[in-house]
Amino acid sequence: MKRALPVLVLSVAGLIPVWRYAPSPDTGTEAAAPAPAPSVSSSAGPGGTTSTVVRGSTVGTEKGPVQVEVTFAGDRIASVRMLRQPDHPQTTAAVPKLIEETLRAQSAEIDTVSGATVTSDGYRESLQAALDAKG
């Protein structure tokens, strides 16, 4: 009888986190959807240089969707812009590093940003899709 009360209290205390658990709204349903094909658009800029804007595919990650848009000046990557990214502080801090590394490497072969591995992987995948679409 002396043990029954502590066992009951500890059992209830152990079940409270289970009762309070709520899954995040982005539970991977985005990853199951087929990714749309990357889109490409071109325009002639001043001086006759051709600029091409390519959207990478949307990549579903466990943190949220990731999609990039790459602007090419000729064959070089001129700029990269995040169209979709997870709403997460580590992602916000990682995006400028990923873009800077992309501009330096001129490819999708870039390092993962520590603390934002999931976003880095999604970024690279969307970036590679854009590079493949450009040809």
Side-chain angles (χ1 to χ4, degrees), residues 92-119:
T92 304
V95 168
K97 295 175 187 175
L98 292 167
I99 292 172
E100 180 183 336
E101 185 72 19
T102 301
L103 295 175
R104 186 178 15 245
Q106 290 292 306
S107 74
E109 294 178 18
I110 58 174
D111 292 333
T112 298
V113 175
S114 179
T117 304
V118 172
T119 300

Side-chain angles (χ1 to χ4, degrees), residues 74-88:
D75 289 334
R76 294 192 51 80
I77 298 172
S79 68
V80 180
R81 187 169 66 115
M82 290 290 281
L83 298 177
R84 299 180 78 186
Q85 70 185 46
D87 184 23
H88 198 273

Side-chain angles (χ1 to χ4, degrees), residues 62-76:
E62 60 190 60
K63 301 285 184 187
V66 175
Q67 183 181 26
V68 301
E69 179 181 81
V70 182
T71 302
F72 293 91
D75 289 334
R76 294 192 51 80

Side-chain angles (χ1 to χ4, degrees):
M1 189 66 170
K2 291 181 182 181
R3 293 183 188 167
L5 187 58
V7 167
L8 179 64
V9 170
L10 291 174
S11 297
V12 170
L15 288 174
I16 288 175
V18 174
W19 289 328
R20 294 187 49 136
Y21 174 75
S24 67
D26 287 333
T27 56
T29 57
E30 189 77 29
S39 63
V40 179
S41 64
S42 297
S43 65
T49 58
T50 302
S51 124
T52 305
V53 178
V54 182
R55 287 185 175 189
S57 58
T58 302
V59 178
T61 70
E62 60 190 60
K63 301 285 184 187
V66 175
Q67 183 181 26
V68 301
E69 179 181 81
V70 182
T71 302
F72 293 91
D75 289 334
R76 294 192 51 80
I77 298 172
S79 68
V80 180
R81 187 169 66 115
M82 290 290 281
L83 298 177
R84 299 180 78 186
Q85 70 185 46
D87 184 23
H88 198 273
Q90 291 167 322
T91 297
T92 304
V95 168
K97 295 175 187 175
L98 292 167
I99 292 172
E100 180 183 336
E101 185 72 19
T102 301
L103 295 175
R104 186 178 15 245
Q106 290 292 306
S107 74
E109 294 178 18
I110 58 174
D111 292 333
T112 298
V113 175
S114 179
T117 304
V118 172
T119 300
S120 296
D121 291 344
Y123 174 90
R124 272 195 306 271
E125 189 175 331
S126 183
L127 178 62
Q128 187 61 55
L131 295 173
D132 292 343
K134 167 72 166 77

